Every structure is written in structure tokens, then in C-alpha cells.
């Protein structure tokens, strides 16, 4: 386990940068604007994308530090989130413009709950239900939430303004969002 933790830490930046490139390519492709070459790190800089690690250090896609005028478009926190709005992560959530969760596992419901309580827009692509971890989840019909379909309905029932859309990829691609 210690070796895995060490290797994961060594590869974290490379994985994060590859993830940013994939997100940007897929987002542009979905809009019909395929102007980003996923093999060219420099194209991230041309787009004005800043990468922010959970330590708060801002830089461009090649690691050069930003000046104060260049603001990151998003911050990625590789931390557990159970709905606590205190501390550094809570402060970032309170100060952000939108909350986004891409297959956030156990954090799916806390992301939606935090966004609703702070009256912020959100987009979440739920994946796993974890019925044994969350046995208190009960649908509007009183049945325990055990399936993916029940989980989506349970989450949508939290607010009448929650909408559903589909993202252009295979797998669990339903996005729940509120503007």
C-alpha cells in the first residue's frame, strides 16, 4: 500500500494534466469546436487554462506560475467531500461560482446538497449508488434507494429545478444540473 501511495503521488500531476486535456477536448468536441490538440500541451496555454493544485499554487499548463491578473477557470481538489463547508475546501466551495462532480462517487449527494444550500448552480454526473453505505436514502415512494434509476430520482427530488441531460460519451453519462 505504501508503494502504491508513493507511485500515485509521483504520477498525480501527469494524470491531472492528461485529465484536463481530455476534458477540454471532449467539451470542445461536444460544441463542435475541435480547436484543441490533445497531444499538444501548449494548446492549453493558448486557451488560457490554468491548472490549480489543491495547495492553491496557480500555474499554466506547462507549470509556469501565473501573474495576479490571470485567474484560473477552475480548481480541482483531490480531497474527500462529505458536505462540510468549513476549512479550505469549504471556503473554496462557498466562494466558487459553480460546483461540478464527474462520477464523484460518495460525494455526489454532498455536492448537490452544498450547491442547493448555498444557492449555487451545479452539474453532477452520478455513477455509483452505494446503497449499503447510505441505507438511510429513501425514495419518494418510501422504498430504499438501491438502483441507479432510483438514485437519480432521489437526487432529482431534492429540488424541482434540477434538470437532466446526457453527455456525449458511453457509460453513465446522465448529468443532473441546476442553473
Amino acid at each position: 500500500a505504501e508503494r502504491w501511495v508513493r507511485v500515485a503521488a509521483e504520477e498525480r500531476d501527469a494524470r491531472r494534466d492528461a485529465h484536463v486535456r481530455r476534458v477540454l477536448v471532449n467539451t470542445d468536441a461536444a460544441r463542435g469546436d475541435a480547436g484543441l490538440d490533445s497531444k499538444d500541451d501548449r494548446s492549453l496555454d493558448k486557451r488560457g487554462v490554468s491548472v490549480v493544485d489543491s495547495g492553491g499554487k496557480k500555474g499554466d499548463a506547462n507549470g509556469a506560475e501565473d501573474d495576479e491578473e490571470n485567474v484560473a477557470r477552475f480548481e480541482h481538489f483531490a480531497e474527500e467531500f462529505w458536505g462540510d463547508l468549513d476549512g479550505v475546501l469549504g471556503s473554496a466551495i462557498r466562494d466558487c461560482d459553480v460546483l461540478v462532480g464527474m462520477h464523484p462517487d460518495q460525494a455526489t449527494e454532498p455536492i448537490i446538497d452544498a450547491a442547493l444550500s448555498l444557492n449555487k448552480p451545479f452539474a453532477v454526473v452520478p455513477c455509483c449508488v452505494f446503497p449499503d453505505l447510505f441505507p438511510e436514502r429513501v425514495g419518494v415512494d418510501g422504498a430504499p434507494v438501491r438502483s441507479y434509476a432510483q438514485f437519480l430520482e432521489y437526487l432529482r427530488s431534492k429540488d424541482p429545478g434540477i434538470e437532466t441531460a446526457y453527455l456525449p460519451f458511453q457509460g453513465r453519462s446522465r448529468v443532473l444540473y441546476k442553473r
Side-chain angles (χ1 to χ4, degrees):
E2 290 176 17
R3 183 174 183 273
W4 182 88
V5 169
R6 182 177 43 78
V7 169
E10 290 170 357
E11 295 178 351
R12 181 192 70 211
D13 291 339
R15 286 193 320 270
R16 184 193 61 225
D17 292 346
H19 172 73
V20 168
R21 283 193 299 277
R22 281 192 307 272
V23 167
L24 291 174
V25 167
N26 289 327
T27 302
D28 289 343
R31 285 195 315 252
D33 173 19
L36 179 65
D37 180 2
S38 64
K39 296 177 184 152
D40 184 4
D41 287 339
R42 291 169 297 165
S43 51
L44 290 174
D45 292 333
K46 292 175 189 172
R47 300 288 293 233
V49 173
S50 294
V51 176
V52 179
D53 66 23
S54 59
K57 180 181 174 188
K58 296 180 183 178
D60 65 18
N62 293 320
E65 224 173 290
D66 287 343
D67 57 21
E68 290 298 316
E69 295 177 26
N70 191 6
V71 178
R73 293 186 184 194
F74 71 92
E75 293 185 40
H76 176 262
F77 289 87
E79 298 179 29
E80 289 185 359
F81 178 61
W82 294 96
D84 182 13
L85 295 174
D86 294 327
V88 175
L89 184 56
S91 176
I93 290 170
R94 284 190 312 275
D95 294 341
C96 76
D97 295 321
V98 63
L99 291 169
V100 178
M102 179 63 182
H103 290 194
D105 293 331
Q106 295 95 328
T108 301
E109 187 173 8
I111 290 170
I112 292 174
D113 290 344
L116 292 173
S117 72
L118 296 169
N119 197 29
K120 293 188 180 283
F122 70 86
V124 175
V125 180
C127 56
C128 304
V129 179
F130 299 103
D132 295 332
L133 187 59
F134 301 103
E136 71 281 359
R137 289 181 179 155
V138 178
V140 293
D141 61 357
V145 174
R146 300 206 57 81
S147 72
Y148 182 67
Q150 289 172 321
F151 187 41
L152 293 175
E153 187 58 35
Y154 168 78
L155 295 171
R156 278 192 298 257
S157 72
K158 289 179 170 285
D159 189 280
I162 295 177
E163 300 178 62
T164 304
Y166 293 86
L167 298 177
F169 60 84
Q170 293 181 358
R172 294 208 165 148
S173 60
R174 255 182 270 202
V175 58
L176 302 179
Y177 66 97
K178 183 171 181 191
R179 300 169 202 248

